[in-house]
Amino acid sequence: MALEYFEFDIFKQFPEIFACVFTRNGGVSSGAYESLNVSYKCDDKNENVNRNRELICKEIGIDRKNLIAVSQVHGRKILDIAKPLDDEFLTQDIEGYDGMITATKGLYLMVQVGDCQAVMIYDPVEKIVAGVHSGWKGSAQNIIGEAILKMVEMGSDPRNIYVGISPSLGTCCSEFSDPENELPCDLREYILPNKHVDFWKMSVDQCIQAGVPEAQIALPAQCTVCNNDTFFSYRAGKRFAGDFGVVIGMK
Ligand SMILES: [Zn+2]
């Protein structure tokens, strides 16, 4: 099966960038990782992950050194990158970061998710892109706000920024057993009466608080748990799942 991907509608007005969500289809991994798993952090074979990443590069039409990925540790550190990968990072991720930012054309940032959000950010005026991994721990630390702040430090006006959020855990499937105690205080306003949590609204609010106009923020098109045939889902796979890749870059 060929690789399948969806472009973000909100970024289609900017032909100078490539921003898309690769589905789980078209890769070489098997079992719980079938088939386009891009994550080294599961029990899939590294050689499969390497091959899957090569397939993504081939689909985009870029050299493997231009597909940047970080290890994603549920923190809030953002890697500022301006050159292709050194050889050592062709078979492992750059350690210690959850977000990436670049003003360099031809570098493509790949966020790895399977229920968490890949938040893709673009400033068409200053020509800066960012890709952020935000699970609930990232939400609690407002890594989205941190990424936008970094863009502002690089010259962006947040009123010019556009944001697309990947398919991720929807309110349909985000039940917590005891969210009042499991989540930090500042996230409690997003707990719904049925103990589900609205992580999508949380991210939209964080973008708005950072100065991005609401009309320039696109909600996820789908819930990953409900669409486990198309996307990897940690919840649907009962923890045995890979990650799908979400990519943004300036051509
Ligand atoms: Zn769902």
Side-chain angles (χ1 to χ4, degrees):
M1 191 187 276
L3 263 63
E4 287 178 350
Y5 62 85
F6 300 108
E7 290 182 66
F8 285 87
D9 285 339
I10 195 162
F11 294 129
K12 284 181 180 167
Q13 61 190 300
F14 305 115
E16 71 274 21
I17 64 167
F18 176 85
C20 84
V21 180
F22 283 91
T23 70
R24 64 184 294 175
N25 299 319
V28 299
S29 301
S30 57
Y33 311 108
E34 186 181 346
S35 60
L36 192 67
N37 168 47
V38 297
S39 171
Y40 292 117
K41 280 183 158 181
C42 55
D43 292 333
D44 196 5
K45 294 192 189 99
N46 282 2
E47 65 194 64
N48 289 345
V49 177
N50 292 336
R51 181 68 191 135
N52 287 336
R53 290 183 178 204
E54 282 167 13
L55 289 170
I56 284 177
C57 290
K58 197 173 160 214
E59 185 71 40
I60 305 173
I62 59 172
D63 190 273
R64 177 66 188 86
K65 288 185 174 184
N66 294 330
L67 186 71
I68 318 297
V70 290
S71 66
Q72 304 184 177
V73 291
H74 297 280
R76 74 191 305 253
K77 280 173 72 182
I78 315 270
L79 174 71
D80 184 355
I81 190 152
K83 63 178 182 60
L85 295 174
D86 293 331
D87 286 345
E88 64 178 301
F89 294 115
L90 297 180
T91 51
Q92 61 178 320
D93 291 331
I94 301 169
E95 202 54 57
Y97 297 90
D98 282 79
M100 298 157 279
I101 192 163
T102 190
T104 304
K105 282 183 188 171
L107 292 186
Y108 288 70
L109 314 175
M110 182 173 74
V111 179
Q112 311 162 58
V113 283
D115 289 347
C116 291
Q117 296 172 18
V119 182
M120 311 316 262
I121 312 173
Y122 179 49
D123 174 355
V125 177
E126 292 298 321
K127 309 285 186 208
I128 302 169
V129 290
V132 170
H133 162 254
S134 187
W136 72 263
K137 288 179 185 162
S139 297
Q141 298 169 83
N142 193 5
I143 188 174
I144 295 173
E146 176 76 5
I148 294 169
L149 183 65
K150 259 196 178 279
M151 290 173 79
V152 169
E153 287 169 1
M154 291 167 73
S156 286
D157 180 335
R159 289 172 297 184
N160 296 330
I161 287 176
Y162 287 75
V163 178
I165 303 173
S166 73
S168 45
L169 184 63
T171 53
C172 39
C173 298
S174 62
E175 185 172 12
F176 278 63
S177 48
D178 186 11
E180 297 282 347
N181 286 311
E182 286 170 284
L183 295 176
C185 300
D186 32 330
L187 300 187
R188 286 184 193 158
E189 65 178 288
Y190 299 100
I191 300 171
L192 304 171
N194 58 1
K195 293 191 179 177
H196 290 221
V197 182
D198 194 344
F199 292 104
W200 292 356
K201 183 169 191 322
M202 201 180 290
S203 295
V204 170
D205 284 353
Q206 287 177 341
C207 292
I208 292 170
Q209 281 155 17
V212 179
E214 189 166 7
Q216 290 165 208
I217 306 163
L219 274 174
Q222 287 168 302
C223 165
T224 38
V225 184
C226 294
N227 295 281
N228 191 215
D229 288 349
T230 309
F231 305 107
F232 288 108
S233 165
Y234 188 76
R235 281 198 172 211
K238 298 190 170 55
R239 293 168 192 253
F240 292 99
D243 280 338
F244 57 96
V246 186
V247 176
I248 189 166
M250 290 182 285
K251 295 171 188 169

